[in-house]
Amino acid sequence: MKYKESESPSQIGVEITDVDISKPLNETDLNSIHSLWVKNSVAIFPGQKLSHDAYNNFAMQFGAFGKEPFLTTMKTQMHIVELRRKATEEASHFGGSWHSDWSFQSSPPSATMLHSKIVPPFGGDTLFTNSALAYDDLSADLKAKVEGLNGIHSAKLPYADDGFYALEGKERTMKIKSSKSANKQHHHPVVREHKDTKRKSLFVNPVYTVGIEGMTDMEAFTFLSEIFEHMTQDKYIYRHQWDADMLIMWDNRSVMHMAEGGYDGYERLMHRITIAGESPIKSL
Ligand code: SIN
């Protein structure tokens, strides 16, 4: 197995080659991949053709499968979601705003994996921003301010009955299940400590963090807007450009991500699996 860590100022991304991930990993390779992934937040495996079974087996080596509350999985694959946007589709592309996957769950997924099947000739990049580095760079005063805060997370903006996807009204290939249950809330510390690396990061995101405990809506909006502006500066961003048969796995505890779009007129197809995570740990 070989690897190359990204030289991007964002400190995100490690490309891992000379390993066949369609076969069970030996213990040494599995441990190395896990360490490289949590250190660099996004692990990239180019040139990996995977059957559904091989993909499921690879994923299971990193933990139990996550729960997909608002997305329909493939008919014969209860853990794989098809992110397909057809060439003729006019609906917005899925995942187009900064978020950390399912942060509204009590224990949000640690990892999300995407395996590329059809890649458009241009556009369709996935962007990641480093929430641990963004935390490190906060002033001492801001660190003290965010330390004891809890964010209120909910899926209501995209997935409620009156949420974005329900109201968009354009035909889409992906089957999204909007529901009342999207209004449920979970509170998580704004500063999250990573279970493995022990690094602190800012665990808030514009799609699912809908408030801050103890703040009015207006106070929370102002506070979160400043934090999001800080977190999404160019210096924290890694742009992932896809080739077909590439698998990437990101760590939702240390990055936010978004799909950029920009490939109207071409099809894009990704297969997605999430891995269950732990309840966010409050930093000490
Ligand atoms: C997502 O948010 O999971 C989608 C990312 C992508 O399609 O690039």
Side-chain angles (χ1 to χ4, degrees):
M1 195 182 94
K2 289 193 187 140
Y3 68 90
K4 188 172 183 312
E5 293 176 317
S6 149
E7 282 158 15
S8 143
S10 70
Q11 299 174 21
I12 292 176
V14 55
E15 187 170 279
I16 302 177
T17 53
D18 285 25
V19 59
D20 181 356
I21 64 169
S22 70
K23 308 234 162 67
L25 297 167
N26 64 45
E27 204 180 323
T28 312
D29 284 352
L30 180 58
N31 289 338
S32 304
I33 290 173
H34 188 274
S35 306
L36 288 166
W37 165 58
V38 293
K39 176 173 177 224
N40 296 283
S41 300
V42 181
I44 302 153
F45 301 87
Q48 300 280 351
K49 281 199 186 302
L50 294 176
S51 65
H52 296 324
D53 282 349
Y55 191 12
N56 282 318
N57 290 338
F58 174 75
M60 279 191 303
Q61 298 171 103
F62 294 89
F65 290 107
K67 290 200 171 71
E68 301 303 332
F70 303 108
L71 303 179
T72 307
T73 55
M74 294 174 79
K75 272 202 187 96
T76 55
Q77 296 296 323
M78 55 191 295
H79 303 294
I80 303 181
V81 172
E82 265 203 347
L83 303 193
R84 187 192 292 274
R85 189 167 184 273
K86 288 192 183 143
T88 51
E89 208 154 317
E90 288 179 5
S92 59
H93 59 280
F94 177 75
S97 302
W98 287 112
H99 62 287
S100 171
D101 281 330
W102 304 159
S103 74
F104 51 83
Q105 293 181 330
S106 55
S107 296
S110 53
T112 303
M113 301 180 182
L114 276 191
H115 187 234
S116 52
K117 299 288 183 185
I118 301 174
V119 173
F122 52 81
D125 296 351
T126 308
L127 308 186
F128 295 89
T129 186
N130 191 330
S131 351
L133 200 54
Y135 170 80
D136 291 347
D137 286 351
L138 291 181
S139 66
D141 279 357
L142 253 177
K143 277 188 178 146
K145 179 170 177 192
V146 294
E147 193 65 55
L149 295 177
N150 286 310
I152 304 169
H153 296 246
S154 145
K156 72 178 179 183
L157 295 177
Y159 296 113
D161 283 341
D162 56 356
F164 173 79
Y165 288 116
L167 298 184
E168 192 185 23
K170 296 224 171 93
E171 205 169 308
R172 88 171 42 246
T173 315
M174 274 182 71
K175 299 284 169 276
I176 294 182
K177 299 177 281 188
S178 299
S179 109
K180 278 195 183 30
S181 66
N183 293 302
K184 262 195 236 150
Q185 295 182 341
H186 273 288
H187 295 208
H188 295 307
V190 167
V191 180
R192 172 177 194 166
E193 189 180 283
H194 195 288
K195 178 169 153 280
D196 301 315
T197 63
K198 306 297 176 207
R199 271 187 90 179
K200 292 178 181 180
S201 66
L202 291 165
F203 194 63
V204 283
N205 65 86
V207 174
Y208 301 129
T209 312
V210 295
I212 298 287
E213 263 179 31
M215 289 190 192
T216 63
D217 286 352
M218 188 46 80
E219 285 165 349
F221 176 80
T222 307
F223 168 76
L224 286 168
S225 302
E226 275 172 29
I227 293 285
F228 295 147
E229 198 178 323
H230 169 69
M231 292 171 81
T232 54
Q233 293 175 77
D234 283 352
K235 61 183 171 183
Y236 302 132
I237 294 179
Y238 162 70
R239 169 179 293 276
H240 180 72
Q241 293 179 309
W242 290 93
D243 286 325
D245 299 320
M246 189 176 245
L247 182 131
I248 73 168
M249 164 165 95
W250 65 82
D251 189 336
N252 287 299
R253 300 163 295 189
S254 55
V255 289
M256 294 197 290
H257 65 280
M258 63 173 277
E260 193 179 53
Y263 54 94
D264 281 0
Y266 290 91
E267 186 167 25
R268 181 176 187 265
L269 173 62
M270 302 276 158
H271 283 175
R272 178 181 187 270
I273 290 181
T274 57
I275 299 297
E278 63 283 346
S279 174
I281 302 170
K282 212 177 218 98
S283 57
L284 301 172

